[in-house]
Amino acid sequence: MFGSDSGFAARVKAVLGPTNTGKTHLAIERLLAHASGIIGFPLRLLARENYDRMVARKGARHVALITGEEKIIPPDARWFSCTVEAMPLDRKAEFVAVDEIQLCADPDRGHVFTDRLLHARGMVETMFLGAETIAPLIRRLVPSAQIETRPRLSQLSYAGPAKLVRLPPRTAVVAFSAAEIYALAELIRRRKGGCAVVMGRLSPRTRNAQVALYQEREVDFLVATDAIGMGLNMNVDHVAFAGLGKFDGHRPRRLAASEVGQIAGRAGRGMKDGTFGTTTECPPIPEDVVAAVEAHNFDSLEMLCWRNSDLDFGSLDGLLDSLNAPPPRPGLMRGNEASDLETLTALSRDPDIRKLAHGRRRMRLLWDACQIPDFRKLADDTHARLCARVFGHVATDTTLPTDWLAAQIAGLDRADGDIDTLMQRLSGVRVWSYIAARSDWVKDSPHWQARAREVEDKLSDALHESLTSRFVDRRSAHLMRRLEEADGQELLSAVTRRGEVVVEGHDVGHIEGFGFIPDPTAVGDEKKLVLRAARRALRAEMPRRVGMLEQASDDAFALTADHRITWDGVPVARLVRGAVPLRPRVQVLDSEFLDGAERERVRGRLQSWVDGQVRADLAPLFAAETLARDNPALRGPLHRLMESLGLIPGVDEETLAPDLRSGLRKLGVRSGRFALFMPVLMKPRATAMRARLWAVHRGVSVPVLPNPALVSVPADQPDWPAGFAAISGWVDAGPILLRLDIAEKIAGELGYQSRRGPTALPSGLASRFAIKGDLLPVVLRQLGFRVLPAAGLAPGEQGPPAPAMLTPLRRRRPVTEAPEPIKIGGGPFAALAALKRGGAR
């Protein structure tokens, strides 16, 4: 199949044109139309992709795959899909094709493509596919070639610069370093939900999986190196350059116009037009480059890279000389020194290698070992030492030691580590895949190929998962796409019994009352997206929940210390000051999901519940107020008592006339020494409600009430607001606060006992107050009594000593500075009471 062009009458054809012209499709059709054929691709990925396509057409038993790392060659194989380097040189075929033939000018790999251009021929037909830039040199070097140019099927136009966040869906962002790729991918994940990542160092399996994420619309963005510019046929509408320069392995340089065109040409496939532009901090593309890309008109190649393929295997120096031979004709030049030649040059300095490399067979073996691809690119002599060891084993032992081969592959069989670590291991296993594919070096080559493939697949899957977990938020990407597609329509959503909100199969947060709490993992732009999706999804849910609240039993509601009303444990409203203390208002908590009518329905239900709770807990007060309506004399005191939540501190027995006190007593109201109050409202439940209503009216949280079993507490209660002790039923007794009902009871007993004069101090009085004995005189004095110390026996007197005596104070001073009762200023009954007080004076 290989020979000079002049010796063949077979047709040689060059099909040239920009991207998206159907060149590869044409070549595959021509290949399969012949009885046998070989096609060479620039990438292993493309060879594998087209191998699968050919198998689908012709069956696996007739199609072969040959790349550096993979060899699938059935006995009946007739059609071969290969990388250009791996095209079988010794096999005759009716049809031969080479894709991307313009890579003849590539300084690193160009010599291989040039060799195929000059020497690879099919017995019936030969086809070269590539860019029009190579046309003049094909005419000069292969004068018999027929050149056919093809126009692009769609238009490619310049869209100018755009911010990353404003790039349209189905965009490929192109950068030229791993650091840039990671930074761009992370930014797109935060702003757009995620992206697929394509880099030259990815294995075909990982690259295919990442491309599938994009093609299947799990993400709408792709971040890639210039590897995207060759053979990756995807549905890209726009290509955005994040830079216009790259490091080509030897030096930093700007992209040539043809390179910009090759990459930009990924936009627009089939008959669909595409656009290209710049993003981030990339400067605008020069006008002349834009014009060249849009017109697909680039400067023609002037030179092709060449390296001698007619090698001298007589000696090591002769081999080096033949590899360094100058080009034999105009239009050809030497490219960069390839890694195989660098390795051979390095090994030629090793005396042991020189000693071992004698004879043509071993010289060929040494050159084959030096051609092991340097996928790892470690920038040291690691690769050269590996090639030397392979050569040494095969030259002396015929094959590689199985234990060594197994250990090398096993050492890479680890799926832990970050993205860069996994990519480095993948590079390593690709080297061993290449070695394992050499059946002349390895015992049981199919087994070791399978073992290397197993490890490569494992690492590839782990790398894909790492890239996806780091740079793809499937939830955000899916929701963003569905929000755009739905265009105002309802999203597929559900709310679980626990209040979890699921939109289009993704958990986005949960409902608390009538509010939506986004998933805490969603931050920044992702949180905004989740909220946007929730708003659309909860349009029907919130009216349903309003109905549920209206139908809920009273047991579903509760009050918190800060006056929030909870529904099934979740705050939905708060109590605020009302027109009167006994009627606090309900204010529904803010919710963007409730309209005015729904908010009023919620407020009405909760107001009804609150009013019911107040009436239930303070039922005796409301009953007394109803009975007093028909008695003008009682209406005033009952109205004041209602305003003061059932207790008016500082109003004692002497304030009211006896007949009025008698009427109040029949209503359950007691006019005591320290307050006008209803004893039944001193019970724990009523006390708690009165404390809450007082706190709501004052705008403070409900103070913590003492244990109902206590009869006294220390006077210093720092958490109680001023006036709370008196209104909640505690009497100031100096160092302590005494429960009102206990104070009234004991003071009444003592007053009765001392009504005719001093009386003996009752025993056990301190324990009834739950205080120490030394505090008793002070406490009693606050209650209106004075303790007379016991007088000792006079000299000569016998008998028990006289006890301490108790006498009422002649003029009892006010027991407490009682706060003004809660009342409505200007109320008619309040004015009437004031007039009565003035008349009494």
Side-chain angles (χ1 to χ4, degrees):
M1 142 181 139
F2 292 85
S4 65
D5 177 58
S6 58
F8 287 84
R11 183 175 66 165
V12 178
K13 187 175 185 178
V15 181
L16 308 178
T19 56
N20 191 30
T21 56
K23 300 185 296 293
T24 304
H25 176 75
L26 171 66
I28 294 295
E29 291 298 317
R30 293 300 305 149
L31 172 80
L32 298 180
H34 286 280
S36 62
I38 299 172
I39 184 168
F41 294 98
L43 298 174
R44 174 190 175 193
L45 173 72
L46 293 176
R48 163 60 79 164
E49 178 184 307
N50 285 284
Y51 165 77
D52 293 336
R53 189 182 306 173
M54 292 157 61
V55 166
R57 293 274 300 274
K58 295 295 186 179
R61 61 189 295 259
H62 296 302
V63 180
L65 171 68
I66 305 178
T67 69
E69 300 100 300
E70 292 182 277
K71 285 183 174 60
I72 304 174
I73 309 176
D76 298 331
R78 294 163 57 191
W79 296 279
F80 289 73
S81 179
C82 316
T83 52
V84 173
E85 287 85 348
M87 292 174 70
L89 307 181
D90 55 351
R91 184 178 293 269
K92 292 184 178 182
E94 288 189 3
F95 178 86
V96 170
V98 179
D99 193 19
E100 303 292 356
I101 195 63
Q102 77 277 0
L103 288 179
C104 288
D106 182 76
D108 296 312
R109 299 175 63 200
H111 64 274
V112 178
F113 286 80
T114 300
D115 183 73
R116 305 303 184 255
L117 174 67
L118 297 177
H119 305 300
R121 297 293 182 269
M123 294 186 296
V124 177
E125 183 178 3
T126 302
M127 184 176 290
F128 298 112
L129 317 170
E132 289 184 72
T133 54
I134 199 174
L137 286 173
I138 289 180
R139 291 190 182 96
R140 182 194 303 178
L141 298 173
V142 189
S144 63
Q146 173 189 349
I147 295 180
E148 174 187 324
T149 59
R150 289 193 156 206
R152 182 179 167 91
L153 299 177
S154 61
Q155 295 296 315
L156 185 62
S157 56
Y158 182 56
K163 292 182 178 179
L164 194 67
V165 295
R166 297 193 177 278
L167 292 175
R170 317 311 293 166
T171 289
V173 182
V174 180
F176 298 94
S177 72
E180 286 181 291
I181 292 290
Y182 297 158
L184 290 167
E186 181 63 30
L187 185 57
I188 291 175
R189 187 195 68 80
R190 293 201 303 265
R191 295 299 188 90
K192 297 289 189 178
C195 61
V197 174
V198 172
M199 304 168 65
R201 294 175 64 194
L202 302 185
S203 67
R205 186 183 179 96
T206 304
R207 191 160 18 179
N208 285 342
Q210 287 290 301
V211 169
L213 279 179
Y214 178 84
Q215 288 294 87
E216 294 168 8
R217 300 186 70 88
E218 291 192 50
V219 293
D220 275 329
F221 296 88
L222 177 75
V223 178
T225 61
D226 51 349
I228 191 181
M230 196 171 295
L232 288 177
N233 297 319
M234 297 173 292
N235 298 322
V236 175
D237 295 339
H238 180 74
V239 171
F241 289 85
L244 295 175
K246 62 179 286 188
F247 180 77
D248 63 5
H250 301 278
R251 65 186 186 282
R253 64 173 179 83
R254 288 185 64 84
L255 296 177
S258 59
E259 292 174 310
V260 174
Q262 182 77 17
I263 297 169
R266 295 298 106 189
R269 306 303 297 170
M271 301 303 293
K272 188 174 183 180
D273 294 340
T275 58
F276 67 100
T278 59
T279 189
T280 62
E281 298 178 359
C282 179
I285 301 176
E287 293 183 2
D288 58 328
V289 175
V290 170
V293 173
E294 290 182 331
H296 316 297
N297 184 17
F298 305 106
D299 293 339
S300 298
L301 299 175
E302 297 180 355
M303 303 288 285
L304 302 184
C305 293
W306 175 90
R307 189 174 74 182
N308 185 24
S309 59
D310 184 15
L311 302 181
D312 178 6
F313 291 103
S315 65
L316 185 52
D317 292 331
L319 178 59
L320 287 169
D321 290 342
S322 61
L323 285 167
N324 289 309
R329 54 199 294 186
L332 303 177
M333 68 174 186
R334 289 179 54 80
N336 296 326
E337 189 167 284
S339 65
D340 54 2
L341 181 53
E342 288 181 341
T343 302
L344 180 64
T345 303
L347 296 185
S348 68
R349 305 188 189 101
D350 186 336
D352 294 334
I353 295 295
R354 281 189 167 273
K355 182 178 180 180
L356 193 61
H358 58 81
R360 300 184 66 86
R361 189 188 70 84
R362 286 194 174 179
M363 284 303 306
R364 288 183 180 274
L365 178 59
L366 175 61
W367 178 234
D368 286 346
C370 291
Q371 289 184 297
I372 297 173
D374 184 13
F375 294 122
R376 295 174 295 179
K377 301 188 183 303
L378 298 176
D380 57 19
D381 64 346
T382 301
H383 184 69
R385 286 189 281 108
L386 171 65
C387 295
R389 185 164 184 178
V390 169
F391 168 66
H393 282 305
V394 177
T396 57
D397 304 325
T398 309
T399 58
L400 298 177
T402 300
D403 292 345
W404 179 59
L405 182 61
Q408 296 300 314
I409 296 176
L412 300 168
D413 190 8
R414 292 174 51 195
D416 59 312
D418 58 17
I419 291 173
D420 288 329
T421 300
L422 290 171
M423 285 199 292
Q424 191 60 36
R425 289 198 195 115
L426 267 172
S427 298
V429 81
R430 289 180 67 192
V431 172
W432 291 102
S433 294
Y434 180 93
I435 294 171
R438 292 294 300 254
S439 58
D440 52 338
W441 293 356
V442 177
K443 293 178 181 178
D444 195 5
S445 176
H447 165 76
W448 292 110
Q449 285 186 71
R451 173 69 178 126
R453 167 54 69 88
E454 176 188 345
V455 174
E456 181 178 339
D457 289 349
K458 177 179 178 179
L459 293 173
S460 297
D461 292 341
L463 179 56
H464 171 63
E465 287 302 317
S466 294
L467 290 169
T468 302
S469 62
R470 178 171 174 182
F471 299 126
V472 177
D473 184 335
R474 282 190 166 96
R475 176 179 62 187
S476 294
H478 186 203
L479 290 179
M480 185 178 297
R481 183 167 59 255
R482 286 293 293 123
L483 285 168
E484 293 171 354
E485 293 172 352
D487 192 22
Q489 300 177 8
E490 295 295 332
L491 297 176
L492 182 62
S493 61
V495 179
T496 68
R497 291 182 179 179
R498 294 182 296 177
E500 297 167 340
V501 181
V502 181
V503 180
E504 295 291 332
H506 298 280
D507 293 333
V508 297
H510 63 279
I511 294 177
E512 287 191 357
F514 297 101
F516 173 71
I517 309 300
D519 186 338
T521 62
V523 296
D525 291 331
E526 184 185 356
K527 183 176 181 180
K528 295 178 183 177
L529 178 65
V530 164
L531 287 171
R532 183 180 165 200
R535 291 187 190 103
R536 291 270 291 277
L538 296 177
R539 289 172 180 170
E541 173 63 19
M542 286 308 179
R544 188 181 72 84
R545 292 179 73 82
V546 171
M548 291 172 58
L549 180 138
E550 288 181 311
Q551 299 300 320
S553 66
D554 287 350
D555 294 339
F557 306 116
L559 285 163
T560 65
D562 60 352
H563 311 310
R564 291 177 180 263
I565 303 174
T566 63
W567 173 35
D568 290 336
V570 178
V572 293
R574 65 168 63 89
L575 286 180
V576 296
R577 180 186 176 114
V580 294
L582 288 172
R583 188 75 193 279
R585 291 187 302 109
V586 170
Q587 185 180 78
V588 180
L589 298 180
D590 291 338
S591 171
E592 62 177 299
F593 300 103
L594 295 178
D595 60 25
E598 292 167 342
R599 188 182 298 274
E600 180 58 27
R601 288 168 59 192
V602 172
R603 193 204 66 77
R605 173 66 179 95
L606 296 177
Q607 188 71 61
S608 174
W609 174 77
V610 169
D611 292 345
Q613 293 294 303
V614 173
R615 284 189 170 274
D617 291 350
L618 303 181
L621 180 61
F622 285 95
E625 191 260 350
T626 301
L627 293 174
R629 288 176 184 172
D630 297 331
N631 188 331
L634 297 177
R635 282 203 301 267
L638 257 295
H639 183 78
R640 291 184 62 203
L641 205 59
M642 294 283 286
E643 292 175 342
S644 299
L645 299 173
L647 189 155
I648 305 176
V651 180
D652 59 22
E653 302 168 314
E654 300 175 2
T655 305
L656 301 174
D659 58 340
L660 187 57
R661 289 202 303 272
S662 175
L664 291 173
R665 190 178 300 113
K666 292 178 181 178
L667 298 177
V669 179
R670 178 176 178 180
S671 176
R673 291 170 172 262
F674 310 108
L676 182 69
F677 69 104
M678 298 186 75
V680 70
L681 298 185
M682 296 298 103
K683 293 182 178 180
R685 182 172 176 179
T687 299
M689 177 57 74
R690 291 190 305 105
R692 178 177 297 282
L693 294 174
W694 182 89
V696 170
H697 211 69
R698 288 292 191 276
V700 297
S701 295
V702 181
V704 178
L705 292 169
N707 189 312
L710 296 176
V711 297
S712 64
V713 295
D716 181 19
Q717 296 290 329
D719 296 332
W720 285 8
F724 178 72
I727 201 68
S728 60
W730 293 87
V731 175
D732 182 3
I736 64 168
L737 296 174
L738 193 61
R739 210 170 73 194
L740 175 60
D741 55 345
I742 299 297
E744 291 285 1
K745 180 179 180 180
I746 296 177
E749 293 174 357
L750 296 179
Y752 181 79
Q753 294 173 13
S754 62
R755 66 188 183 280
R756 291 192 177 93
T759 184
L761 183 68
S763 62
L765 203 55
S767 64
R768 293 182 69 184
F769 288 144
I771 60 173
K772 295 180 179 180
D774 58 348
L775 294 179
L776 187 60
V778 179
V779 171
L780 288 173
R781 189 172 189 83
Q782 292 294 316
L783 297 182
F785 302 91
R786 181 162 61 95
V787 177
L788 302 176
L793 294 175
E797 292 183 348
Q798 295 181 355
M805 304 298 285
L806 183 74
T807 184
L809 292 173
R810 288 186 178 181
R811 186 171 181 270
R812 190 179 64 200
R813 62 189 177 88
V815 178
T816 180
E817 295 182 3
E820 287 293 323
I822 303 175
K823 59 188 178 182
I824 305 173
F829 293 105
L832 179 60
L835 287 174
K836 288 185 176 181
R837 287 196 299 272
R841 295 192 186 95

